[in-house]
Amino acid sequence: WKQHGSLEVDEAWKLAESEPKNHHRWHSLFVAYYNAGDWENCLLAIKKKQEIAEASEWEWFYECMAHWQLDHRDQALWKYLAAIDRMARHDYRQAKLRGYQAEASLLLGLTDPGARVDEAMNYFRKGVKFETEGQKDLAKEAFSKSLEFCESLAADFPSVIAYTEKLIDLLVRCGRHQELEAVYRRAIAARENLPDVSPELRLENSGQYHALAFVLVDAGRHAEAEEFIRKAIQTRLTLATEFPEKSIYRFHLAHSYTGLARIVSEPGRETERVQANTEASRLFCQLAADDSAAPDFRQWNAHALWNVGDTWLALSRFDEGQQAYERSLVTFQQLEKAHPANPFYRQ
């Protein structure tokens, strides 16, 4: 696949061969292949780039367009959605990257979301500014305008989590809590049908299950909430098992166990609450041992132990409750000593 009639490709190949570990050279090569209309070699060059550097929106737009030209419509759409999600999540506004987004949108016959994202973020920033200044009415007005753009984006691209997360934030800020469940369910349904099953996507999906569980708790629908929190636990447990070196999966798994402990709150399920909090504590202890410089892990461990103590106390098992409280107290004391400037640990 090295041979090609395009001068741009040949020059890019020479540079890539001379610096095979430089991912910028492979970037130039896949762009050259795409410009030459060689879609298959464009994808091969992208794969080479991703072998030496993390995949990013910079090549996802080209990967999307190459797949589209080869009539791989599902793969093309997924790469496009992944790219615009990353763009919105990090508020990327580089002109060159925006150009890639516009080109890919045009090819796929989609409306470029860039202008709407800009409007949504501009009004959101105004809202935050007014809120900070204590101008509540002006803040609410700005947030409402931002929400209009986010509603449109989330409706057109329900599988783009960045749009959904911003919409949810704005619904809460505007007091429209009754709409949260429908937004979460729409996003979950859209993403479950995507062709990509990357670990990152699975983790994001688990976050939607976890968040929806607590929307349902607030609505008093504990049985449905338990169904979704257990779905989050199963997804995160699978990820933690498949990728034991990735602490982020264990961290989120521990949070879902603490969530389960809160949800199974009815009388007669105390043992389940203790088991869930204990498992969360075990994971947080493990994380703290892996990274002793991470106070968040130890903090959450102390909270989990405190919850275990509360549950044992409710069962009149005072000795076990006291042991859990003492372990929680020791952890908070250690954190307060190590971080004296942080008032949270003293409280």
Side-chain angles (χ1 to χ4, degrees):
W1 61 293
K2 298 180 182 181
Q3 302 300 318
H4 203 278
S6 163
L7 180 60
E8 181 186 7
V9 169
D10 291 342
E11 289 297 322
W13 241 119
K14 290 175 183 177
L15 292 171
E17 285 188 309
S18 66
E19 297 181 75
K21 298 299 183 181
N22 185 337
H23 68 271
H24 296 292
R25 298 306 186 193
W26 293 103
H27 177 102
S28 298
L29 181 59
F30 71 67
V31 171
Y33 271 126
Y34 185 84
N35 291 340
D38 193 336
W39 325 124
E40 291 182 350
N41 279 331
C42 172
L43 292 174
L44 287 172
I46 289 174
K47 185 177 179 181
K48 288 288 290 184
K49 181 269 174 186
Q50 292 173 348
E51 288 174 359
I52 58 175
E54 183 181 357
S56 74
E57 61 285 350
W58 286 95
E59 72 259 17
W60 285 338
F61 283 122
Y62 274 94
E63 202 168 355
C64 149
M65 293 188 290
H67 276 302
W68 189 266
Q69 299 286 10
L70 292 167
D71 206 29
H72 305 157
R73 299 303 163 91
D74 286 344
Q75 294 97 317
L77 181 58
W78 162 239
K79 292 301 177 183
Y80 176 84
L81 294 174
I84 64 172
D85 182 271
R86 182 77 67 88
M87 291 274 285
R89 192 177 298 276
H90 298 286
D91 194 19
Y92 288 143
R93 284 175 278 180
Q94 297 101 319
K96 192 171 185 179
L97 196 52
R98 281 296 185 87
Y100 291 174
Q101 179 174 288
E103 185 178 357
S105 300
L106 182 63
L107 180 65
L108 271 61
L110 300 171
T111 301
D112 183 355
R116 280 182 288 172
V117 171
D118 286 344
E119 291 285 359
M121 291 307 300
N122 286 338
Y123 279 117
F124 182 80
R125 293 188 193 97
K126 289 180 182 178
V128 172
K129 178 177 178 291
F130 289 137
E131 194 174 54
T132 303
E133 295 171 348
Q135 302 186 61
K136 294 182 179 179
D137 290 341
L138 289 176
K140 187 174 181 179
E141 181 182 348
F143 286 140
S144 295
K145 288 181 178 178
S146 179
L147 190 149
E148 291 176 13
F149 287 104
C150 287
E151 281 183 313
S152 169
L153 288 164
D156 288 350
F157 304 99
S159 60
V160 176
I161 289 296
Y163 298 159
T164 297
E165 288 177 345
K166 184 56 68 178
L167 174 59
I168 287 166
D169 179 24
L170 287 161
L171 287 171
V172 172
R173 288 175 183 270
C174 295
R176 292 165 56 178
H177 297 81
Q178 72 279 5
E179 299 174 50
L180 295 176
E181 180 184 350
V183 172
Y184 277 122
R185 289 188 181 275
R186 180 178 63 191
I188 288 170
R191 290 171 69 82
E192 285 182 338
N193 295 322
L194 289 174
D196 190 282
V197 288
S198 67
E200 293 75 18
L201 175 64
R202 290 153 63 192
L203 180 62
E204 288 182 351
N205 287 347
S206 74
Q208 299 293 295
Y209 305 147
H210 186 113
L212 176 56
F214 282 94
V215 170
L216 294 168
V217 165
D218 290 341
R221 292 153 62 187
H222 284 71
E224 291 175 83
E226 183 177 347
E227 175 187 344
F228 279 99
I229 200 67
R230 289 192 181 279
K231 198 168 184 178
I233 287 173
Q234 186 55 56
T235 303
R236 292 171 172 183
L237 179 60
T238 301
L239 286 167
T241 303
E242 290 179 10
F243 306 96
E245 74 284 359
K246 298 257 186 176
S247 61
I248 188 67
Y249 298 141
R250 284 176 286 152
F251 180 72
H252 285 291
L253 174 60
H255 272 292
S256 285
Y257 275 120
T258 60
L260 175 63
R262 289 175 56 194
I263 288 170
V264 292
S265 58
E266 63 267 32
R269 303 190 72 178
E270 291 84 1
T271 300
E272 290 177 73
R273 288 207 300 279
V274 168
Q275 289 173 341
N277 275 317
T278 300
E279 183 59 19
S281 175
R282 183 189 70 80
L283 287 163
F284 285 128
C285 277
Q286 188 183 81
L287 288 163
D290 289 348
D291 184 0
S292 59
D296 281 352
F297 295 155
R298 300 170 67 197
Q299 171 190 323
W300 284 107
N301 177 39
H303 279 296
L305 288 167
W306 190 277
N307 291 334
V308 170
D310 285 346
T311 306
W312 284 134
L313 192 64
L315 292 170
S316 299
R317 294 170 64 170
F318 302 112
D319 289 344
E320 289 154 300
Q322 183 176 349
Q323 290 173 10
Y325 285 141
E326 287 176 349
R327 289 176 61 197
S328 176
L329 177 60
V330 167
T331 303
F332 275 124
Q333 287 174 329
Q334 291 171 341
L335 286 167
E336 195 276 333
K337 185 176 181 180
H339 305 277
N342 190 334
F344 176 82
Y345 301 128
R346 288 195 299 276
Q347 295 169 3

